[in-house]
Amino acid sequence: MIKEYIRLIKARGYMKRNIPFLYSWHAYVGYELDLYEAFKKPKTINEVATENALKEDLLVRWVEVGGVIGYIKQRSKQRHQTVNRFMVPSSKNNPRSTGVLLKEMMELHIPTLINYPKLMKSTEKENFNQKEHGMVIAQTSSLLEQLAIPRVMKVVKQAKPKTLVDVGCGNGGYLLKLSQKFPKANMIGIELNEEVAEEAQNKCEQQKQINIICENVLEWKPDSKVDFVMLNNMLHYLSPKEREKLFRNIGKWLNKKGTLSIVTPLHNSKHGGPFSSVFNSFFTAFENLYALPSETDLEELAKAAGLKIKKMKPVIKEGGWYQFTLSK
Ligand SMILES: C[S@@+](CC[C@H](N)C(=O)[O-])C[C@H]1O[C@@H](n2cnc3c(N)ncnc32)[C@H](O)[C@@H]1O
């Protein structure tokens, strides 16, 4: 009898712990189909289903869940409306919508984590499709950028570089902000993904001091020595061997008083353990993504580059993200 009771408590526990998933699921579907926008003014389910060519029975369920969690309100017998709540993502048409993070979580992270039993038994791993996911990742990275940029600005201000290289520059968000603050510095962004590099190019078009190069950074070298190198959120794209190669190269690119600034989540960090452990579970599932570096790994890499870690500051504590400043 007691055993049966414990079994039920456990099952109820799993169900209760899963309730927060409902909020993320609802927000993801709402973002992906722009449904919060469709219900911005009170509308019937039939109207929205017809206008957007959606299955009405499924839309009914989504609206029902929205009602339960307080994201959608019934305004009359037939009409429903989006509630103006903090956690409801803004429209897909808004390039600053936080919905991209839900998209990355739901389409990339969760399916990969669910695939773990299969992957563990298989001799193969998943292959990360840069082309398919590159843009969404560049967009979610720009959310982190907003939190890390004040710290990066401070480090750049102290270094006063005339030349700066952003390795794996994504859509150029850091470069754009830095160029507005430091208009005299020459800036180069190296980005492997063509579509992302094009976006960076367009974003930074007005800033003549920025040059975006679409190339594998492992094959690239500057024409002359540089003062500052940035490496933001890209170490997990490189194998330990490639990391070492890159750091050795960066050591050669930098002039004597040069600075390397790294922003990365850290393995086994003091802060953000749950986040970095799940991040690592995700990365390790791919043959072409790699576990996050630990502080000791970064010290080793710094040594290979002839550099020393001078400062280390958390930029997003709950995520285990740190900024490192290195120099000779
Ligand atoms: C997670 S994004 C971060 C973008 C940006 N640094 C930021 O923090 O917002 C990492 C970027 O590095 C680029 N990347 C990965 N491997 C690269 C390589 N070998 N050479 C150049 N870029 C690379 C990816 O295409 C991706 O856009």
Side-chain angles (χ1 to χ4, degrees):
M1 185 67 188
I2 285 186
K3 268 191 185 161
E4 267 314 288
Y5 191 61
I6 289 174
R7 196 171 153 248
L8 277 181
I9 292 181
K10 217 170 166 177
R12 282 174 76 180
Y14 291 143
M15 285 169 75
K16 276 193 180 165
R17 283 186 185 194
N18 228 10
I19 288 175
F21 181 76
L22 210 56
Y23 291 80
S24 304
W25 171 77
H26 199 270
Y28 163 67
V29 177
Y31 168 77
E32 192 52 22
L33 299 173
D34 229 354
L35 292 175
Y36 297 117
E37 202 58 21
F39 283 104
K40 203 170 175 182
K41 289 198 174 129
K43 287 231 167 136
T44 69
I45 294 176
N46 179 268
E47 273 172 332
V48 172
T50 312
E51 280 166 15
N52 297 278
L54 301 172
K55 283 197 186 75
E56 194 170 334
D57 56 344
L58 297 191
L59 186 59
V60 168
R61 297 296 169 244
W62 181 84
V63 169
E64 266 173 21
V65 174
V68 174
I69 64 174
Y71 285 7
I72 299 281
K73 201 164 175 79
Q74 193 162 356
R75 288 295 178 208
S76 66
K77 207 170 171 209
Q78 299 283 329
R79 291 181 195 281
H80 303 267
Q81 187 178 19
T82 300
V83 179
N84 196 3
R85 294 266 303 257
F86 181 65
M87 292 305 283
V88 170
S90 53
S91 167
K92 221 176 177 181
N93 296 325
N94 176 357
R96 291 177 60 77
S97 175
T98 48
V100 283
L101 194 67
L102 292 162
K103 196 169 163 67
E104 185 178 322
M105 263 167 51
M106 292 294 191
E107 293 183 4
L108 203 54
H109 294 198
I110 290 176
T112 305
L113 294 175
I114 287 177
N115 216 8
Y116 245 63
K118 232 195 209 161
L119 285 170
M120 274 199 205
K121 285 187 164 183
S122 161
T123 50
E124 284 170 14
K125 285 192 172 182
E126 293 196 16
N127 187 283
F128 181 72
N129 188 334
Q130 265 274 7
K131 274 210 163 131
E132 189 182 342
H133 303 294
M135 273 311 265
V136 169
I137 290 188
Q139 279 172 296
T140 52
S141 294
S142 70
L143 285 164
L144 301 166
E145 170 202 309
Q146 214 168 332
L147 294 162
I149 194 82
R151 173 78 203 145
V152 174
M153 285 271 188
K154 204 170 166 184
V155 179
V156 176
K157 195 174 169 195
Q158 278 162 0
K160 301 188 190 76
K162 288 197 179 94
T163 44
L164 179 151
V165 177
D166 187 358
V167 173
C169 67
N171 61 17
Y174 281 92
L175 286 175
L176 184 62
K177 289 201 176 83
L178 287 170
S179 66
Q180 286 156 351
K181 197 96 179 164
F182 307 99
K184 286 190 182 147
N186 279 319
M187 301 186 177
I188 300 172
I190 317 289
E191 174 52 54
L192 181 64
N193 184 310
E194 262 177 51
E195 202 187 348
V196 177
E198 206 179 304
E199 164 104 359
Q201 188 77 57
N202 292 338
K203 204 168 173 172
C204 301
E205 208 177 5
Q206 302 298 321
Q207 310 298 108
K208 298 297 170 223
Q209 78 209 80
I210 300 177
N211 184 13
I212 305 289
I213 300 171
C214 184
E215 201 175 318
N216 182 346
V217 71
L218 297 167
E219 313 295 329
W220 181 83
K221 68 172 192 225
D223 295 336
S224 52
K225 297 253 179 194
V226 300
D227 302 320
F228 200 99
V229 175
M230 272 193 315
L231 195 59
N232 299 330
N233 292 307
M234 72 90 68
L235 283 172
H236 46 274
Y237 285 85
L238 304 179
S239 69
K241 274 218 162 113
E242 288 171 329
R243 282 177 197 173
E244 198 184 318
K245 179 176 174 186
L246 177 64
F247 272 71
R248 283 189 196 282
N249 287 349
I250 291 175
K252 290 179 201 149
W253 302 346
L254 279 174
N255 68 34
K256 263 191 203 150
K257 289 191 173 167
T259 306
L260 168 63
S261 168
I262 304 172
V263 174
T264 184
L266 211 56
H267 188 37
N268 285 334
S269 59
K270 190 171 160 199
H271 308 287
F275 194 89
S276 78
S277 70
V278 80
F279 228 23
N280 263 343
S281 310
F282 170 73
F283 293 144
T284 310
F286 294 88
E287 61 187 8
N288 52 347
L289 292 179
Y290 305 90
L292 297 170
S294 64
E295 196 181 336
T296 317
D297 294 335
L298 282 182
E299 275 163 7
E300 288 296 317
L301 288 167
K303 220 188 264 172
L307 301 171
K308 280 198 182 112
I309 298 177
K310 296 287 164 75
K311 270 190 191 144
M312 163 187 179
K313 287 235 166 194
V315 280
I316 311 169
K317 271 193 183 165
E318 64 275 29
W321 254 276
Y322 288 78
Q323 185 276 334
F324 291 84
T325 309
L326 295 85
S327 59
K328 288 191 178 163

